[in-house]
Coordinates of all heavy atoms in Angstrom, one line a residue:
M1 N 0.7 20.6 11.9 CA 1.3 19.7 11.0 C 0.3 19.0 10.1 O -0.8 18.9 10.5 CB 2.1 18.6 11.7 CG 3.2 19.1 12.7 SD 4.5 20.0 11.8 CE 5.6 18.7 11.3
I2 N 0.7 18.7 8.9 CA -0.2 18.0 8.0 C 0.5 16.7 7.5 O 1.7 16.8 7.0 CB -0.6 18.9 6.8 CG1 -1.6 18.2 5.9 CG2 0.5 19.5 6.0 CD1 -2.4 19.1 5.0
E3 N -0.2 15.6 7.6 CA 0.3 14.3 7.0 C -0.3 14.2 5.6 O -1.5 14.2 5.5 CB -0.1 13.2 7.9 CG 0.5 11.9 7.4 CD 0.2 10.6 8.3 OE1 -0.6 10.7 9.2 OE2 0.9 9.6 8.0
L4 N 0.6 14.1 4.6 CA 0.1 13.9 3.3 C 0.4 12.5 2.8 O 1.5 12.1 2.8 CB 0.9 14.9 2.4 CG 0.7 16.4 2.8 CD1 1.9 17.2 2.4 CD2 -0.6 17.0 2.2
I5 N -0.7 11.8 2.5 CA -0.5 10.4 2.0 C -0.7 10.3 0.5 O -1.9 10.5 0.0 CB -1.5 9.5 2.8 CG1 -1.4 9.7 4.3 CG2 -1.3 8.0 2.4 CD1 -2.5 9.0 5.1
G6 N 0.3 10.1 -0.2 CA 0.3 10.0 -1.6 C 0.0 8.6 -2.1 O -0.4 7.7 -1.3
R7 N 0.3 8.3 -3.4 CA 0.0 7.0 -3.8 C 1.0 6.0 -3.3 O 0.7 4.8 -3.0 CB 0.2 6.9 -5.3 CG -0.7 7.7 -6.1 CD -1.9 8.2 -6.3 NE -1.7 9.1 -7.4 CZ -2.2 8.8 -8.6 NH1 -2.8 7.7 -8.8 NH2 -2.0 9.6 -9.6
S8 N 2.3 6.4 -3.2 CA 3.2 5.4 -2.6 C 4.1 6.0 -1.5 O 4.9 5.3 -0.9 CB 4.1 4.8 -3.7 OG 4.8 5.9 -4.3
R9 N 4.0 7.3 -1.3 CA 4.8 8.0 -0.3 C 4.0 8.8 0.6 O 3.0 9.3 0.2 CB 5.9 8.9 -1.0 CG 7.1 8.2 -1.5 CD 8.2 9.3 -1.8 NE 7.8 10.2 -2.9 CZ 7.8 9.9 -4.2 NH1 8.2 8.7 -4.6 NH2 7.5 10.8 -5.1
K10 N 4.4 8.9 1.8 CA 3.7 9.9 2.7 C 4.7 10.6 3.5 O 5.8 10.2 3.8 CB 2.7 9.1 3.6 CG 3.2 8.1 4.6 CD 2.1 7.6 5.4 CE 2.6 6.5 6.3 NZ 1.6 5.9 7.2
K11 N 4.3 11.9 3.9 CA 5.2 12.7 4.6 C 4.4 13.6 5.5 O 3.2 14.0 5.2 CB 5.9 13.6 3.6 CG 7.4 13.2 3.5 CD 8.1 14.2 2.6 CE 9.3 13.4 2.0 NZ 10.0 14.2 1.0
T12 N 5.0 14.0 6.6 CA 4.4 15.0 7.5 C 5.2 16.3 7.5 O 6.4 16.2 7.6 CB 4.3 14.4 9.0 OG1 3.6 13.2 9.0 CG2 3.6 15.4 9.9
V13 N 4.5 17.3 7.1 CA 5.2 18.6 7.0 C 4.4 19.7 7.7 O 3.3 19.5 8.2 CB 5.3 19.0 5.5 CG1 6.2 18.0 4.7 CG2 3.9 19.2 4.8
E14 N 5.0 20.9 7.8 CA 4.3 22.0 8.4 C 3.1 22.4 7.6 O 3.2 22.5 6.4 CB 5.3 23.2 8.5 CG 4.8 24.3 9.3 CD 5.7 25.6 9.1 OE1 6.9 25.4 8.8 OE2 5.1 26.7 9.3
A15 N 2.0 22.6 8.3 CA 0.8 23.1 7.6 C 0.9 24.6 7.3 O 0.4 25.4 8.2 CB -0.5 22.7 8.4
E16 N 1.4 25.0 6.2 CA 1.6 26.4 5.9 C 0.3 27.0 5.5 O -0.3 26.6 4.5 CB 2.6 26.6 4.8 CG 4.0 26.2 5.2 CD 5.0 26.3 3.9 OE1 5.1 27.4 3.4 OE2 5.5 25.3 3.5
V17 N -0.1 28.0 6.3 CA -1.4 28.7 6.1 C -1.4 29.4 4.7 O -0.4 30.0 4.3 CB -1.6 29.7 7.3 CG1 -2.8 30.6 7.0 CG2 -1.7 29.0 8.6
G18 N -2.5 29.2 4.0 CA -2.7 29.8 2.7 C -2.2 29.0 1.6 O -2.6 29.3 0.4
K19 N -1.5 27.9 1.8 CA -1.1 27.0 0.7 C -2.2 25.9 0.5 O -2.9 25.5 1.5 CB 0.2 26.3 1.1 CG 1.3 27.3 1.0 CD 2.6 26.7 0.5 CE 3.6 27.7 0.3 NZ 5.0 27.2 0.0
T20 N -2.3 25.4 -0.7 CA -3.2 24.3 -1.0 C -2.6 23.0 -0.6 O -1.3 22.9 -0.5 CB -3.6 24.3 -2.5 OG1 -2.5 23.9 -3.2 CG2 -4.2 25.6 -2.9
I21 N -3.4 22.0 -0.4 CA -2.9 20.7 -0.1 C -2.0 20.2 -1.2 O -0.9 19.6 -1.0 CB -4.1 19.7 0.0 CG1 -4.8 20.0 1.4 CG2 -3.7 18.2 0.0 CD1 -6.2 19.4 1.5
L22 N -2.4 20.5 -2.5 CA -1.5 20.0 -3.6 C -0.2 20.7 -3.6 O 0.8 20.1 -3.8 CB -2.3 20.3 -4.9 CG -1.5 19.9 -6.2 CD1 -1.2 18.4 -6.3 CD2 -2.2 20.4 -7.5
E23 N -0.2 22.0 -3.3 CA 1.1 22.7 -3.2 C 2.0 22.1 -2.2 O 3.2 21.9 -2.4 CB 0.9 24.2 -2.9 CG 0.4 25.0 -4.1 CD -0.1 26.4 -3.7 OE1 -0.4 26.7 -2.5 OE2 -0.2 27.3 -4.6
L24 N 1.4 21.8 -1.0 CA 2.2 21.2 0.1 C 2.7 19.8 -0.3 O 3.9 19.5 0.0 CB 1.4 21.1 1.4 CG 1.1 22.5 2.0 CD1 0.1 22.3 3.1 CD2 2.3 23.2 2.5
A25 N 1.9 19.1 -1.0 CA 2.3 17.7 -1.4 C 3.4 17.8 -2.4 O 4.4 17.0 -2.3 CB 1.1 17.0 -2.0
L26 N 3.3 18.7 -3.4 CA 4.4 18.7 -4.4 C 5.7 19.3 -3.8 O 6.7 18.8 -4.1 CB 3.9 19.7 -5.6 CG 2.7 19.1 -6.4 CD1 2.3 20.1 -7.5 CD2 2.9 17.7 -6.9
Q27 N 5.5 20.2 -3.0 CA 6.7 20.8 -2.3 C 7.4 19.7 -1.5 O 8.6 19.7 -1.4 CB 6.1 21.9 -1.3 CG 7.1 22.8 -0.7 CD 6.2 23.9 0.0 OE1 5.6 24.7 -0.6 NE2 6.3 23.9 1.3
A28 N 6.6 18.8 -0.9 CA 7.2 17.7 0.0 C 7.6 16.5 -0.8 O 8.0 15.5 -0.3 CB 6.2 17.4 1.0
D29 N 7.4 16.6 -2.2 CA 7.8 15.5 -3.0 C 6.9 14.2 -2.8 O 7.4 13.1 -2.9 CB 9.3 15.2 -2.9 CG 9.8 14.5 -4.2 OD1 9.2 14.7 -5.2 OD2 10.8 13.8 -4.1
V30 N 5.7 14.4 -2.4 CA 4.8 13.3 -2.2 C 4.1 13.1 -3.6 O 3.7 14.1 -4.2 CB 3.7 13.7 -1.1 CG1 2.6 12.6 -1.1 CG2 4.4 13.8 0.2
D31 N 3.9 11.9 -4.0 CA 3.3 11.6 -5.3 C 1.8 11.8 -5.3 O 1.1 10.8 -4.9 CB 3.7 10.2 -5.8 CG 3.5 9.1 -4.8 OD1 3.4 9.4 -3.6 OD2 3.4 8.0 -5.2
W32 N 1.4 12.9 -5.7 CA 0.0 13.3 -5.6 C -0.5 13.6 -7.0 O 0.2 14.3 -7.8 CB -0.1 14.6 -4.8 CG -1.4 14.9 -4.1 CD1 -2.5 15.4 -4.7 CD2 -1.7 14.6 -2.7 NE1 -3.5 15.5 -3.7 CE2 -3.1 15.0 -2.5 CE3 -1.0 14.0 -1.7 CZ2 -3.7 14.9 -1.3 CZ3 -1.7 13.9 -0.5 CH2 -3.0 14.3 -0.3
G33 N -1.6 13.0 -7.4 CA -2.1 13.2 -8.7 C -2.6 14.6 -9.0 O -3.2 15.2 -8.1
F34 N -2.4 15.1 -10.1 CA -2.9 16.4 -10.5 C -2.8 16.6 -12.0 O -2.0 15.9 -12.6 CB -2.2 17.6 -9.8 CG -0.8 17.9 -10.3 CD1 -0.6 18.9 -11.2 CD2 0.2 17.1 -9.8 CE1 0.7 19.2 -11.6 CE2 1.5 17.4 -10.2 CZ 1.7 18.4 -11.2
N35 N -3.5 17.5 -12.6 CA -3.4 17.8 -14.0 C -3.7 19.3 -14.2 O -2.8 20.0 -14.6 CB -4.3 16.9 -14.8 CG -4.1 17.0 -16.3 OD1 -3.1 17.7 -16.7 ND2 -4.9 16.5 -17.1
C36 N -4.9 19.7 -13.9 CA -5.3 21.1 -14.3 C -4.9 22.1 -13.2 O -4.7 23.3 -13.6 CB -6.8 21.1 -14.4 SG -7.8 20.9 -12.9
K37 N -4.9 21.8 -12.0 CA -4.7 22.8 -10.9 C -5.8 23.8 -10.8 O -5.6 24.9 -10.2 CB -3.3 23.4 -10.9 CG -2.2 22.5 -10.7 CD -0.9 23.3 -10.6 CE 0.3 22.4 -10.3 NZ 1.5 23.1 -10.3
R38 N -6.9 23.6 -11.5 CA -8.0 24.6 -11.6 C -9.3 24.1 -11.0 O -10.3 24.7 -11.2 CB -8.2 25.1 -13.0 CG -7.1 26.0 -13.6 CD -7.4 26.5 -14.9 NE -7.4 25.4 -15.9 CZ -8.5 25.1 -16.7 NH1 -9.6 25.7 -16.6 NH2 -8.4 24.1 -17.5
G39 N -9.3 22.9 -10.5 CA -10.5 22.3 -10.0 C -11.4 21.6 -10.9 O -12.6 21.5 -10.7
T40 N -10.9 21.2 -12.1 CA -11.8 20.6 -13.1 C -11.4 19.1 -13.3 O -12.3 18.3 -13.7 CB -11.8 21.3 -14.4 OG1 -10.4 21.5 -14.9 CG2 -12.4 22.7 -14.3
C41 N -10.2 18.7 -13.2 CA -9.9 17.3 -13.6 C -10.1 16.2 -12.5 O -10.2 15.1 -12.8 CB -8.4 17.2 -14.1 SG -7.2 17.3 -12.7
S42 N -10.1 16.7 -11.3 CA -10.3 15.8 -10.1 C -9.2 14.8 -9.8 O -9.3 13.9 -9.0 CB -11.6 15.0 -10.2 OG -12.7 15.9 -10.2
R43 N -8.1 14.9 -10.5 CA -7.0 14.0 -10.3 C -6.4 14.2 -8.9 O -5.8 13.3 -8.3 CB -5.8 14.3 -11.3 CG -6.2 14.0 -12.7 CD -6.4 12.5 -13.0 NE -5.1 11.8 -12.8 CZ -5.1 10.4 -12.7 NH1 -6.2 9.8 -12.6 NH2 -3.9 9.8 -12.5
C44 N -6.6 15.4 -8.3 CA -6.0 15.7 -7.0 C -7.0 15.4 -5.9 O -6.7 15.7 -4.7 CB -5.7 17.2 -6.9 SG -7.2 18.2 -7.1
R45 N -8.1 14.7 -6.2 CA -9.1 14.5 -5.2 C -8.5 13.7 -4.0 O -7.6 12.9 -4.2 CB -10.3 13.6 -5.8 CG -11.4 13.4 -4.8 CD -12.5 12.6 -5.4 NE -12.2 11.2 -5.2 CZ -13.1 10.3 -4.8 NH1 -14.4 10.6 -4.5 NH2 -12.8 9.0 -4.6
C46 N -9.0 14.1 -2.8 CA -8.4 13.5 -1.7 C -9.4 13.5 -0.5 O -10.4 14.1 -0.6 CB -7.2 14.3 -1.2 SG -7.4 16.1 -1.1
Q47 N -9.1 12.6 0.4 CA -10.0 12.5 1.6 C -9.3 13.1 2.8 O -8.2 12.7 3.1 CB -10.5 11.1 1.8 CG -11.6 11.0 2.8 CD -12.2 9.6 2.9 OE1 -11.5 8.6 2.5 NE2 -13.4 9.5 3.3
V48 N -10.0 14.0 3.5 CA -9.5 14.5 4.7 C -9.8 13.5 5.9 O -11.0 13.3 6.1 CB -10.0 15.9 5.0 CG1 -9.4 16.5 6.3 CG2 -9.8 16.9 3.9
L49 N -8.8 12.9 6.4 CA -9.1 11.9 7.5 C -9.1 12.5 8.9 O -9.7 12.0 9.8 CB -8.0 10.8 7.4 CG -7.8 10.2 6.0 CD1 -6.7 9.2 6.0 CD2 -9.1 9.4 5.6
E50 N -8.5 13.7 9.0 CA -8.4 14.3 10.3 C -8.2 15.8 10.1 O -7.5 16.2 9.1 CB -7.2 13.8 11.0 CG -7.1 14.2 12.5 CD -5.8 13.7 13.1 OE1 -4.9 13.2 12.4 OE2 -5.6 14.0 14.3
G51 N -8.8 16.7 10.9 CA -8.5 18.1 10.9 C -9.1 18.9 9.8 O -8.6 20.0 9.5
I52 N -10.3 18.5 9.4 CA -11.0 19.3 8.3 C -11.3 20.7 8.8 O -11.4 21.7 8.0 CB -12.3 18.6 7.8 CG1 -12.6 19.0 6.4 CG2 -13.4 18.7 8.8 CD1 -13.4 18.1 5.6
E53 N -11.4 20.9 10.1 CA -11.7 22.2 10.7 C -10.5 23.2 10.4 O -10.7 24.4 10.6 CB -12.1 22.1 12.1 CG -11.0 21.6 13.1 CD -10.9 20.1 13.2 OE1 -11.3 19.4 12.3 OE2 -10.6 19.7 14.3
Y54 N -9.4 22.7 10.1 CA -8.2 23.6 9.9 C -8.1 24.0 8.4 O -7.2 24.7 8.0 CB -6.9 23.0 10.3 CG -7.0 22.6 11.8 CD1 -6.9 21.2 12.2 CD2 -7.1 23.5 12.8 CE1 -6.9 20.8 13.5 CE2 -7.2 23.1 14.1 CZ -7.1 21.8 14.5 OH -7.1 21.4 15.8
L55 N -9.0 23.5 7.6 CA -9.0 23.8 6.1 C -10.1 24.7 5.7 O -11.1 24.9 6.4 CB -9.1 22.4 5.4 CG -8.0 21.4 5.7 CD1 -8.4 20.0 5.1 CD2 -6.6 21.9 5.2
S56 N -9.9 25.3 4.5 CA -10.9 26.2 3.9 C -12.2 25.5 3.7 O -12.2 24.3 3.5 CB -10.3 26.8 2.6 OG -10.0 25.8 1.7
E57 N -13.3 26.2 3.6 CA -14.6 25.7 3.2 C -14.5 25.3 1.8 O -13.8 26.0 1.0 CB -15.6 26.8 3.4 CG -15.9 27.1 4.9 CD -16.6 26.0 5.6 OE1 -17.6 25.4 5.1 OE2 -16.2 25.7 6.8
P58 N -15.3 24.4 1.3 CA -15.3 24.0 -0.1 C -15.6 25.2 -1.0 O -16.6 26.0 -0.7 CB -16.4 23.0 -0.2 CG -16.6 22.4 1.1 CD -16.2 23.5 2.1
N59 N -14.8 25.5 -2.0 CA -15.1 26.6 -2.9 C -16.0 26.2 -4.0 O -16.5 25.1 -4.1 CB -13.8 27.3 -3.3 CG -13.0 26.4 -4.3 OD1 -13.5 25.4 -4.8 ND2 -11.8 26.8 -4.6
K60 N -16.3 27.1 -4.9 CA -17.2 26.9 -6.1 C -16.8 25.6 -6.9 O -17.6 24.8 -7.2 CB -17.2 28.1 -7.0 CG -18.5 28.5 -7.4 CD -18.4 29.7 -8.3 CE -19.7 30.4 -8.4 NZ -19.6 31.7 -9.1
A61 N -15.5 25.5 -7.2 CA -15.0 24.4 -8.0 C -15.3 23.1 -7.3 O -15.6 22.1 -7.9 CB -13.5 24.6 -8.3
E62 N -15.0 23.1 -6.0 CA -15.2 21.8 -5.2 C -16.7 21.5 -5.1 O -17.1 20.3 -5.2 CB -14.6 22.0 -3.8 CG -13.1 22.1 -3.9 CD -12.6 22.2 -2.5 OE1 -12.6 23.3 -1.9 OE2 -12.1 21.2 -1.9
L63 N -17.6 22.5 -5.0 CA -19.0 22.3 -4.9 C -19.5 21.7 -6.2 O -20.4 20.9 -6.3 CB -19.7 23.5 -4.5 CG -19.4 24.0 -3.0 CD1 -20.1 25.4 -2.8 CD2 -19.9 23.0 -2.0
L64 N -18.9 22.2 -7.3 CA -19.3 21.7 -8.6 C -18.8 20.3 -8.9 O -19.4 19.5 -9.5 CB -18.8 22.6 -9.7 CG -19.6 23.9 -10.0 CD1 -18.8 24.8 -11.0 CD2 -21.0 23.5 -10.6
G65 N -17.5 20.1 -8.5 CA -16.8 18.8 -8.8 C -17.1 17.6 -7.9 O -16.8 16.5 -8.3
L66 N -17.6 17.9 -6.7 CA -17.8 16.8 -5.8 C -19.3 16.8 -5.4 O -19.9 17.8 -5.3 CB -17.0 17.1 -4.5 CG -15.4 17.1 -4.7 CD1 -14.8 17.7 -3.5 CD2 -14.9 15.7 -5.0
D67 N -19.8 15.6 -5.2 CA -21.2 15.5 -4.8 C -21.3 15.6 -3.3 O -20.4 15.5 -2.6 CB -22.0 14.3 -5.5 CG -21.4 13.0 -5.0 OD1 -20.9 12.9 -3.9 OD2 -21.5 12.0 -5.8
D68 N -22.6 15.8 -2.9 CA -22.8 16.0 -1.4 C -22.3 14.9 -0.6 O -21.7 15.2 0.5 CB -24.3 16.2 -1.2 CG -24.9 17.5 -1.7 OD1 -24.1 18.3 -2.1 OD2 -26.1 17.6 -1.8
E69 N -22.4 13.7 -1.0 CA -22.0 12.6 -0.3 C -20.5 12.6 -0.1 O -19.9 12.3 1.0 CB -22.4 11.3 -1.0 CG -22.5 10.1 -0.1 CD -23.1 8.9 -0.8 OE1 -24.2 9.0 -1.3 OE2 -22.4 7.9 -0.9
E70 N -19.8 12.9 -1.2 CA -18.3 13.0 -1.1 C -17.9 14.1 -0.1 O -17.0 13.9 0.7 CB -17.7 13.3 -2.5 CG -17.8 12.2 -3.5 CD -17.3 12.6 -4.8 OE1 -18.0 13.4 -5.5 OE2 -16.3 12.1 -5.2
L71 N -18.5 15.2 -0.2 CA -18.2 16.3 0.7 C -18.4 15.9 2.2 O -17.6 16.2 3.0 CB -19.0 17.6 0.4 CG -18.6 18.3 -0.9 CD1 -19.6 19.3 -1.4 CD2 -17.2 19.0 -0.8
E72 N -19.5 15.2 2.4 CA -19.8 14.8 3.8 C -18.8 13.8 4.3 O -18.4 13.8 5.4 CB -21.2 14.1 3.8 CG -22.3 15.0 4.1 CD -23.7 14.4 3.8 OE1 -23.8 13.1 4.1 OE2 -24.6 15.1 3.4
E73 N -18.2 13.0 3.3 CA -17.2 12.0 3.7 C -15.8 12.6 3.8 O -14.8 11.9 4.0 CB -17.2 10.9 2.7 CG -18.5 10.0 2.9 CD -18.6 9.0 1.8 OE1 -17.7 8.9 0.9 OE2 -19.6 8.2 1.8
G74 N -15.7 13.9 3.5 CA -14.4 14.6 3.7 C -13.6 14.7 2.4 O -12.4 14.9 2.5
F75 N -14.2 14.3 1.3 CA -13.5 14.4 0.0 C -13.4 15.9 -0.4 O -14.3 16.7 -0.3 CB -14.2 13.6 -1.1 CG -13.9 12.1 -0.9 CD1 -14.9 11.3 -0.3 CD2 -12.7 11.6 -1.3 CE1 -14.6 9.9 -0.2 CE2 -12.5 10.2 -1.2 CZ -13.4 9.4 -0.6
R76 N -12.2 16.2 -0.9 CA -11.9 17.6 -1.3 C -11.0 17.5 -2.6 O -10.5 16.5 -3.0 CB -11.2 18.3 -0.2 CG -11.9 18.4 1.1 CD -13.2 19.2 1.0 NE -13.0 20.5 0.6 CZ -12.7 21.5 1.5 NH1 -12.7 21.3 2.8 NH2 -12.5 22.8 1.1
L77 N -10.9 18.7 -3.2 CA -9.9 18.8 -4.3 C -8.6 19.4 -3.8 O -8.7 20.6 -3.3 CB -10.5 19.6 -5.5 CG -11.8 19.0 -6.1 CD1 -12.3 20.0 -7.2 CD2 -11.5 17.7 -6.7
G78 N -7.6 18.7 -3.9 CA -6.3 19.1 -3.3 C -5.8 20.5 -3.8 O -5.1 21.2 -3.1
C79 N -6.1 20.8 -5.1 CA -5.6 22.0 -5.7 C -6.5 23.2 -5.2 O -6.1 24.4 -5.5 CB -5.6 21.9 -7.2 SG -7.2 21.8 -8.0
Q80 N -7.6 23.0 -4.6 CA -8.5 24.0 -4.2 C -8.5 24.3 -2.7 O -8.8 25.4 -2.2 CB -9.9 23.8 -4.7 CG -10.0 23.6 -6.2 CD -9.6 24.9 -7.0 OE1 -10.1 25.9 -6.7 NE2 -8.6 24.7 -7.9
T81 N -8.4 23.2 -1.9 CA -8.5 23.3 -0.5 C -7.2 23.9 0.1 O -6.1 23.4 -0.1 CB -8.7 21.9 0.1 OG1 -9.8 21.3 -0.5 CG2 -8.9 21.9 1.6
K82 N -7.4 24.9 0.9 CA -6.2 25.6 1.5 C -6.2 25.4 3.0 O -7.2 25.2 3.6 CB -6.3 27.1 1.2 CG -6.0 27.5 -0.2 CD -6.1 29.0 -0.4 CE -5.8 29.3 -1.8 NZ -6.0 30.7 -2.1
V83 N -5.0 25.5 3.5 CA -4.8 25.4 5.0 C -5.2 26.8 5.6 O -4.8 27.8 5.1 CB -3.3 25.1 5.4 CG1 -3.1 25.2 6.9 CG2 -2.9 23.8 4.8
N84 N -6.1 26.8 6.5 CA -6.6 28.0 7.2 C -5.8 28.3 8.5 O -5.6 29.4 8.8 CB -8.1 27.9 7.6 CG -9.0 28.5 6.5 OD1 -8.5 29.1 5.5 ND2 -10.2 28.4 6.7
S85 N -5.5 27.2 9.2 CA -4.7 27.3 10.4 C -4.0 26.0 10.7 O -4.4 25.0 10.2 CB -5.6 27.8 11.6 OG -6.5 26.8 11.8
D86 N -2.9 26.1 11.4 CA -2.1 24.9 11.7 C -2.9 24.0 12.7 O -3.5 24.5 13.6 CB -0.7 25.3 12.2 CG 0.2 24.1 12.1 OD1 -0.2 23.0 11.6 OD2 1.4 24.2 12.6
G87 N -2.8 22.7 12.5 CA -3.4 21.8 13.4 C -3.1 20.4 13.0 O -2.3 20.3 12.0
A88 N -3.6 19.4 13.6 CA -3.3 18.0 13.2 C -4.2 17.7 12.0 O -5.4 17.5 12.2 CB -3.5 17.1 14.3
I89 N -3.6 17.6 10.8 CA -4.4 17.4 9.6 C -3.8 16.1 8.9 O -2.6 16.0 8.9 CB -4.3 18.6 8.6 CG1 -4.6 19.9 9.3 CG2 -5.2 18.4 7.4 CD1 -4.2 21.1 8.5
T90 N -4.7 15.3 8.5 CA -4.2 14.1 7.7 C -5.1 14.0 6.4 O -6.3 14.1 6.5 CB -4.4 12.8 8.5 OG1 -3.8 12.9 9.7 CG2 -3.9 11.6 7.7
V91 N -4.4 14.0 5.3 CA -5.1 13.9 4.0 C -4.5 12.9 3.1 O -3.3 12.7 3.0 CB -5.0 15.3 3.3 CG1 -6.0 15.4 2.1 CG2 -5.4 16.5 4.2
Q92 N -5.4 12.1 2.4 CA -4.9 11.1 1.5 C -5.4 11.3 0.1 O -6.6 11.5 -0.1 CB -5.4 9.7 2.0 CG -4.9 8.6 1.2 CD -5.2 7.2 1.8 OE1 -6.0 7.1 2.8 NE2 -4.6 6.2 1.3
N93 N -4.5 11.3 -0.8 CA -4.9 11.4 -2.3 C -5.7 10.2 -2.7 O -5.2 9.1 -2.6 CB -3.6 11.5 -3.1 CG -3.9 11.9 -4.6 OD1 -3.0 11.6 -5.4 ND2 -5.0 12.4 -4.9
K94 N -6.9 10.4 -3.2 CA -7.8 9.3 -3.6 C -8.5 9.7 -4.9 O -9.7 10.0 -4.9 CB -8.8 9.0 -2.5 CG -8.3 8.2 -1.3 CD -9.4 7.8 -0.4 CE -8.9 7.0 0.8 NZ -10.0 6.6 1.7
P95 N -7.8 9.7 -6.0 CA -8.4 10.0 -7.3 C -9.4 8.9 -7.7 O -9.3 7.8 -7.1 CB -7.2 10.1 -8.3 CG -6.1 9.3 -7.6 CD -6.3 9.4 -6.2
Y96 N -10.2 9.1 -8.6 CA -11.2 8.1 -9.1 C -10.6 6.9 -9.8 O -11.1 5.8 -9.8 CB -12.3 8.7 -10.0 CG -13.1 9.8 -9.3 CD1 -12.9 11.1 -9.6 CD2 -14.1 9.4 -8.4 CE1 -13.6 12.1 -9.0 CE2 -14.9 10.4 -7.8 CZ -14.6 11.7 -8.1 OH -15.4 12.7 -7.5
F97 N -9.4 7.2 -10.4 CA -8.8 6.1 -11.2 C -7.3 6.3 -11.1 O -6.8 7.3 -10.8 CB -9.3 6.1 -12.6 CG -9.2 7.4 -13.3 CD1 -8.0 7.7 -14.0 CD2 -10.2 8.3 -13.3 CE1 -7.9 9.0 -14.6 CE2 -10.2 9.5 -13.9 CZ -9.0 9.9 -14.6
Ligands
FES101 S1 -5.5 19.3 -10.2 FE1 -7.3 19.2 -11.5 S2 -8.9 19.4 -10.0 FE2 -7.1 19.6 -8.8

């Protein structure tokens, strides 16, 4: 399961393998920031609070868009990070502004 914490709503849904965090959030009607869906705007930035081992490794767009410190703290781009396997995952949308 994945708990998706948006700006004002949160929901726990099935962690569907292969879907991005943003896709799951939109599907669940959680208010999650996004604009480009291509890994450039950072509006979908989020922090993985639990279960990062169940998610994809940072891809090129994430490595370009996030600095090392952010990656170490579990920050990811919701439109790029995919579920690799089901597990207890908690992610919170934390855009810069
Ligand atoms: S929606 Fe723009 S970086 Fe994810």
